[in-house]
C-alpha cells in the first residue's frame, strides 16, 4: 500500500497513529506529498485523489481510499487486535462522536490559519466565528477529559491527539493547557503512548516558523 504522507498534516498523523496501533506501519510505503490550500494541486496526489488532498491510501489493487476517516476504518479492519472502532454500538458512537469533534476542530484550525495568511488580512467576522468555535470545542474536550483517559484508546482519542498537536504546532501561545487542566493532564500522559510518540508533528519545510505560528488569541494569561 502507498500513503500520500506529510509529517506536518494532522490528518495524515491520525492514519499513522492507527497504523502503529494496529501493527501495520511496515505494510505502507509513505510517499512525501506536499499540498497546500492556496496553491495549485499536487499532480501526483491529484492522480490518486481527485480532491487533491492528503492522506490518500493507494491499495495494492490500485483503489484509492480517502479521507482519513475512511482510511482509518479500513485499516482497523485488517488486524486481529483491539479495535479502534468498537463493534458495540454505544462504544462505537462515542468514538465516532469524539472523532467528529476533534476532526472538526482540526479543520477549523487549518482554515483559520489560511484565513490569517491572506494578503488582505483575515476577515474579522470569520475570525471571530472561528475563535468562538475553537473555544467551544475546547470546553467540550475538557468536559470529556476524564472519559478520554478512562476508556480504551480508540479513534476518538487518536483524533484528539492530532487536534491538540495542531494547536501546539500552529497556535503557540494560546495557553490552552492552563485553561483546560483536565485535558492538558490527559494530553501529557498520552504523549508516552508509542503510537503518539512515533508520529509527533515535524516541520520538514526548512522555513522559519514565522508569525503565522502564533495564536491570534489566548485562553488564559501565562
Amino acid at each position: 500500500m502507498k500513503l500520500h504522507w506529510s509529517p506536518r498534516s494532522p490528518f495524515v498523523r491520525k492514519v499513522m497513529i492507527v497504523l502503529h496501533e494496529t501493527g501495520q506501519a511496515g505494510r505502507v510505503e509513505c510517499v512525501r506529498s506536499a499540498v497546500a490550500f492556496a496553491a495549485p494541486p499536487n499532480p501526483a496526489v491529484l492522480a490518486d485523489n481527485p480532491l487533491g488532498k492528503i492522506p490518500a491510501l493507494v491499495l495494492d489493487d490500485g483503489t484509492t481510499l480517502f479521507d482519513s476517516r475512511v482510511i482509518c476504518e479500513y485499516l482497523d479492519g485488517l488486524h486481529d487486535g483491539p479495535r479502534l472502532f468498537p463493534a458495540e454500538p454505544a462504544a462505537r458512537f462515542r468514538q465516532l462522536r469524539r472523532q467528529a469533534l476533534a476532526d472538526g476542530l482540526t479543520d477549523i484550525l487549518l482554515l483559520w490559519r489560511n484565513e490569517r495568511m491572506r494578503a488582505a488580512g483575515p476577515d474579522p467576522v470569520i475570525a471571530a466565528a472561528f475563535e468562538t468555535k475553537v473555544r467551544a470545542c475546547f470546553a467540550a474536550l475538557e468536559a470529556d477529559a476524564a472519559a478520554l483517559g478512562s476508556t480504551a484508546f480508540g479513534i476518538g482519542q487518536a483524533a484528539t491527539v492530532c487536534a491538540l498537536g495542531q494547536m501546539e504546532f500552529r497556535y503557540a501561545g494560546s495557553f490552552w493547557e492552563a485553561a483546560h487542566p483536565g485535558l492538558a493532564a490527559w494530553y501529557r500522559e498520552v504523549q508516552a503512548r508509542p503510537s503518539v510518540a512515533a508520529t509527533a508533528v515535524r516541520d520538514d519545510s526548512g522555513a522559519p516558523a514565522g508569525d503565522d505560528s502564533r495564536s491570534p488569541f489566548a485562553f488564559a494569561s501565562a
Side-chain angles (χ1 to χ4, degrees):
M1 294 184 286
K2 178 182 77 173
L3 179 68
H4 286 288
W5 169 92
S6 166
R8 293 182 287 169
S9 165
F11 292 115
V12 169
R13 185 185 187 189
K14 183 167 58 139
V15 171
M16 294 304 299
I17 288 175
V18 170
L19 285 169
H20 282 277
E21 286 286 333
T22 60
Q24 299 182 81
R27 295 186 59 188
V28 174
E29 175 194 4
C30 293
V31 177
R32 181 65 173 92
S33 302
V35 298
F37 180 80
N42 181 327
V45 176
L46 201 63
D48 289 325
N49 178 1
L51 297 173
K53 298 170 70 175
I54 60 173
L57 181 70
V58 183
L59 306 184
D60 293 338
D61 67 359
T63 302
T64 305
L65 299 181
F66 46 85
D67 59 4
S68 67
R69 287 165 289 196
V70 175
I71 296 170
C72 289
E73 188 156 7
Y74 172 79
L75 293 171
D76 199 39
L78 299 182
H79 69 106
D80 297 324
R83 295 304 171 107
L84 300 172
F85 292 80
E88 193 276 317
R92 175 178 174 80
F93 281 101
R94 279 195 296 271
Q95 288 292 347
L96 292 179
R97 178 181 180 276
R98 284 183 181 135
Q99 178 179 220
L101 175 63
D103 282 359
L105 171 59
T106 300
D107 275 330
I108 292 169
L109 295 176
L110 292 170
L111 290 169
W112 195 356
R113 178 173 180 263
N114 290 327
E115 182 69 19
R116 289 160 55 206
M117 294 178 68
R118 289 197 311 141
D123 181 285
V125 175
I126 293 174
F130 283 157
E131 179 175 344
T132 298
K133 292 176 182 179
V134 169
R135 290 182 181 276
C137 287
F138 269 85
L141 289 171
E142 176 69 11
D144 194 38
L148 284 170
S150 64
T151 55
F153 189 89
I155 195 61
Q157 283 92 338
T160 303
V161 164
C162 297
L164 297 179
Q166 182 68 11
M167 195 72 182
E168 284 188 326
F169 182 44
R170 296 297 190 190
Y171 291 78
S174 71
F175 306 118
W176 70 263
E177 299 94 334
H180 307 91
L183 183 62
W186 173 80
Y187 187 59
R188 287 192 300 269
E189 181 178 338
V190 81
Q191 298 305 304
R193 194 173 186 90
S195 65
V196 175
T199 60
V201 177
R202 177 170 56 87
D203 190 352
D204 64 346
S205 67
D211 292 341
D212 68 284
S213 68
R214 304 298 300 176
S215 177
F217 76 103
F219 284 103
S221 59

